[in-house]
Amino acid sequence: MDGTSATEQTREGRSTGDAVVVTRGLTKRYRGGQLAVDDLNLTVPAGSVFGFLGPNGSGKTTTIRMLMGLIEPTSGTAHVLGRPMPRSARAVLPHVGALIEGPALYGFLSGRDNLLRYDAADPTADPRTRTSRVAAALDRVGLTTASGKKARAYSLGMKQRLGLAAALLRPRRLLVLDEPTNGLDPQGMREIRALVRELATDGTTVFLSSHLLDEIEQVCTHVAVMARGRLITQGPVAELAAGARGRLLVTTPDASDAARVLKEQGLADVVAEGDRVSAEPPARDLAEVNAALVAAGVRVRGFGVERASLEDVFVALTGEGFDVAG
Amino acid sequence: MSRAETVSASVQPRPLWTLGLFRDELRTTFRRWRTLALLGVLAAVPVLVGTAVRIETGDGSSGGGGGGGPAFVSQITNNGLFLVFTALAATLPFFLPMAVGVVAGDAVAGEAGSGTLRYLLVAPAGRTRLLLTKYATVMVFCLAATLVVAVSALAVGALLFPLGDLTTISGTRITFGEGLVRALLIALVVAASLLGVAALGLFVSTLTDSGIAAMATTVGLLITVQILDQIPQLHVLHPYLFSHHWLSFADLMREPVHWEDLTKNLGLQVLYAAVFGSAAWARFTTRDVTA
Ligand SMILES: Nc1ncnc2c1ncn2[C@@H]1O[C@H](COP(=O)(O)OP(=O)(O)OP(=O)(O)O)[C@@H](O)[C@H]1O
Ligand SMILES: [Mg+2]
């Protein structure tokens, strides 16, 4: 790792304040030359449920690996719970539960024995309470009855649940979940959302990477968006959604007339699709627009501004392109 | 930065935790089907050798007379205890180190390949501790594998052949009890002879994310070293090949014991363990764990 300058240090000191994760200029170039994370400055406030978004290959997992001390940053620093990583891994990681790139299990061991092993690997875990903590974690993810089964016989969702249980073996200050609902059934997803909310009320900070944007929207207080290894934006969810303006949506059987009237009224970006006409909402009072529609004999079924979804914001920020950046 | 203080205050590693991980590692290793299969194969070797000798001598021939075979074969019919020495001499060149190579090669690479390594590291097991635990476990496996051969050989020997006082290579007589002690000593020396391969295997294991590749490489290296040891033109290299002094354990059956080759062998194993152990540590504590 290259040295950080003194100014960098003090800036960190000030901004760390109540943050659980702080990265400054964090950069990772893999051995093959791939620049996976580029100059990342991330701040995860304590107590937040932090959604970490980005298209495939944008560097989310790479960032998480650096935060967990699994890989060394090429340059820059990462602090977790106020301590530098990977140097302070032994002090920090007992307070952190993590699910990284899906679960990994010993197929020839039962679900319960898998958890016992992961708990035994933690030098700070009390062996006297091990079995009861393992039982509690299994119960929390709904695996109690399947806990005696060999992990190789688990379904995808059961493996995911067991991975989550491993992250919940002890009370944690930070929970890092890389696509936790992958492979879960709808009940499982709901359960995870409820779990995340419950943990958050208990004061655990949850760092959540996911592609399911409505899921993020439902549980997260903050979000950061990555694209091509760079941070595009971060902040409270509400601010992000407010930043993107919603669209005026008119539902009507006379779509073409409606579109003409809206254009005459000076609205931009008018799009007619079947019986729905949408446009950028104007600055003036919407009631006047509606009155103009009615005056022109347009039969209006529905009229209103549709709030921008996180998905709209996400696509606006990261682009429509489907192909993964190379 | 009160947070930083609470982090350090509430986390006190327990003094005996390393043993906790070690115990768990032992349990996990010896519950693997592969480990048990290897031990099964090793247990079968004395059964095969014993039965073969029994059938041969049952025909009325006087027991082979040696030729190119292991040193103790001709004595087995007189005393079943010699099956222990024969079985160890028969398995030490290949079966035993191969089994150790498989277990050591898989130790880190197998966990990396299945992804469990990243969860052990975020637990956090600590890289140095995990590596030490792995090496200690492979050492236990060396001992277990050798004892499996020895005990199986003793059982088969007792079943098929008479037991009693025995003659050493030097021609002196020792009691059966002392013979047993020698057998145990020999088993310990054989187990120690495997420590070099174990360290080599563990080092290879830190280089890749594929357990199979690490096992194959280690066993390949083992065969290569054995072949090099047979080429007379390379005699300058021979004293540094980990297998060169392996069969010196027979010197424990002399009266008095010849220590020279035995100590050379053990010294060489310690050297290999130090060199490849350090290399494994240097590699494992700095590598990126991405699998
Ligand atoms: N072990 C590796 N070696 C080399 N390059 C890698 C490695 N892992 C990831 N990359 C590259 O780094 C970039 C970021 O990958 P990363 O796994 O961090 O993406 P991600 O945001 O987690 O994607 P996804 O949403 O698909 O999980 C990609 O271009 C990927 O090809
Ligand atoms: Mg990922």
Side-chain angles (χ1 to χ4, degrees):
Chain A
M1 242 195 289
D2 62 357
T4 23
S5 65
T7 53
E8 186 83 9
Q9 289 291 344
T10 52
R11 180 147 55 86
E12 239 164 62
R14 245 183 291 130
S15 62
T16 305
D18 223 17
V20 165
V21 173
V22 181
T23 74
R24 289 292 169 255
L26 194 64
T27 301
K28 179 67 187 182
R29 189 181 286 280
Y30 279 110
R31 206 177 291 266
Q34 173 78 42
L35 187 62
V37 173
D38 187 8
D39 193 24
L40 181 68
N41 297 308
L42 199 65
T43 307
V44 177
S48 63
V49 178
F50 196 95
F52 196 41
L53 311 179
N56 292 133
S58 55
K60 302 182 297 294
T61 301
T62 304
T63 306
I64 290 175
R65 285 183 187 139
M66 285 191 278
L67 295 180
M68 298 295 101
L70 291 173
I71 62 179
E72 187 99 3
T74 308
S75 63
T77 59
H79 282 70
V80 177
L81 301 175
R83 294 274 201 115
M85 290 296 285
R87 207 165 355 117
S88 298
R90 283 188 58 209
V92 169
L93 291 179
H95 298 281
V96 181
L99 186 65
I100 310 159
E101 288 236 288
L105 306 167
Y106 299 88
F108 60 100
L109 295 180
S110 70
R112 178 184 293 107
D113 286 342
N114 267 281
L115 294 188
L116 288 172
R117 175 159 171 79
Y118 284 135
D119 197 64
D122 181 351
T124 62
D126 188 348
R128 284 163 301 182
T129 58
R130 185 159 296 153
T131 44
S132 61
R133 281 181 296 111
V134 164
L138 283 167
D139 185 52
R140 204 154 188 187
V141 297
L143 274 184
T144 304
T145 48
S147 64
K149 212 170 170 175
K150 293 258 183 291
R152 98 161 66 77
Y154 274 18
S155 70
L156 176 63
M158 287 162 81
K159 285 179 184 158
Q160 191 76 10
R161 286 168 187 245
L162 195 63
L164 269 168
L168 298 172
L169 280 169
R170 307 178 63 191
R172 310 286 193 183
R173 299 219 346 240
L174 171 65
L175 208 57
V176 175
L177 304 175
D178 192 3
E179 295 177 39
T181 51
N182 218 353
L184 289 188
D185 52 27
Q187 287 90 335
M189 292 197 196
R190 267 171 75 135
E191 202 79 357
I192 298 304
R193 278 201 298 271
L195 191 70
V196 165
R197 288 202 191 95
E198 185 189 320
L199 288 164
T201 28
D202 293 349
T204 304
T205 308
V206 183
F207 187 82
L208 187 73
S209 117
S210 176
H211 293 294
L212 301 175
L213 295 167
D214 50 344
E215 174 180 295
I216 294 267
E217 205 165 13
Q218 284 182 49
V219 295
C220 290
T221 58
H222 293 68
V223 277
V225 180
M226 300 271 293
R228 295 161 189 258
R230 299 189 133 259
L231 185 68
I232 293 190
T233 181
Q234 64 178 328
V237 177
E239 273 177 30
L240 196 67
R245 303 169 64 201
R247 287 187 61 86
L248 173 65
L249 186 69
V250 180
T251 319
T252 167
D254 313 318
S256 52
D257 288 339
R260 181 178 43 79
V261 174
L262 290 181
K263 277 181 191 144
E264 282 167 11
Q265 291 292 313
L267 273 66
D269 193 17
V270 178
V271 181
E273 261 175 48
D275 65 347
R276 292 152 63 93
V277 182
S278 66
E280 260 181 37
R284 62 201 163 87
D285 193 350
L286 283 176
E288 286 174 27
V289 179
N290 195 11
L293 284 171
V294 175
V298 176
R299 294 167 292 168
V300 176
R301 280 201 200 112
F303 184 92
V305 174
E306 205 175 52
R307 194 173 61 85
S309 71
L310 195 55
E311 184 169 322
D312 298 328
V313 177
F314 181 79
V315 171
L317 285 170
T318 58
E320 287 276 1
F322 168 71
D323 290 339
V324 171
Chain B
M1 296 281 279
S2 59
R3 292 192 166 272
E5 278 145 35
T6 48
V7 163
S8 49
S10 61
V11 177
Q12 282 303 324
R14 279 151 224 281
L16 283 177
W17 76 269
T18 321
L19 290 184
L21 181 59
F22 178 51
R23 268 209 311 272
D24 192 80
E25 182 67 32
L26 281 181
R27 248 203 314 266
T28 308
T29 303
F30 283 93
R31 276 169 74 174
R32 265 183 212 276
W33 183 86
R34 187 198 309 130
T35 313
L36 300 179
L38 287 171
L39 293 178
V41 168
L42 289 172
V45 171
V47 178
L48 285 179
V49 175
T51 327
V53 171
R54 179 69 200 230
I55 290 170
E56 280 285 299
T57 52
D59 288 351
S61 76
S62 61
F72 307 103
V73 171
S74 56
Q75 302 246 37
I76 295 178
T77 42
N78 302 327
N79 195 328
L81 190 54
F82 276 96
L83 187 57
V84 175
F85 311 135
T86 309
L88 287 174
T91 49
L92 182 53
F94 188 68
F95 281 111
L96 274 173
M98 184 209 63
V100 170
V102 166
V103 171
D106 190 54
V108 177
E111 302 254 15
S114 69
T116 45
L117 181 59
R118 67 174 181 272
Y119 286 107
L120 290 178
L121 291 182
V122 300
R127 297 193 181 205
T128 305
R129 282 178 175 75
L130 189 58
L131 195 67
L132 283 175
T133 305
K134 291 283 182 189
Y135 192 50
T137 305
V138 177
M139 282 164 83
V140 170
F141 179 79
C142 290
L143 187 63
T146 312
L147 288 180
V148 161
V149 174
V151 169
S152 162
L154 188 62
V156 174
L159 220 65
L160 298 183
F161 307 102
L163 296 176
D165 292 359
L166 53 160
T167 315
T168 63
I169 297 179
S170 316
T172 55
R173 299 285 291 175
I174 54 173
T175 63
F176 179 69
E178 194 177 337
L180 269 183
V181 173
R182 298 268 175 122
L184 182 65
L185 263 179
I186 284 179
L188 292 178
V189 168
V190 168
S193 302
L194 298 168
L195 296 183
V197 193
L200 181 66
L202 200 65
F203 170 60
V204 172
S205 192
T206 60
L207 298 179
T208 160
D209 285 346
S210 157
I212 301 284
M215 290 186 236
T217 308
T218 311
V219 174
L221 282 172
L222 170 69
I223 296 170
T224 311
V225 165
Q226 303 268 43
I227 292 172
L228 292 183
D229 205 17
Q230 300 301 318
I231 302 177
Q233 286 82 352
L234 296 176
H235 65 92
V236 276
L237 268 184
H238 289 172
Y240 303 102
L241 300 177
F242 57 75
S243 64
H244 188 63
H245 299 294
W246 271 356
L247 293 181
S248 66
F249 75 81
D251 291 347
L252 280 169
M253 282 305 287
R254 293 181 199 277
E255 193 68 39
V257 173
H258 288 200
W259 289 106
E260 196 192 336
D261 281 357
L262 281 168
T263 45
K264 270 190 197 156
N265 179 27
L266 296 182
L268 196 58
Q269 302 308 322
V270 170
L271 182 70
Y272 267 81
V275 170
F276 287 102
S278 315
W281 179 81
R283 163 76 182 155
F284 187 57
T285 49
T286 54
R287 74 178 269 199
D288 281 356
V289 175
T290 52

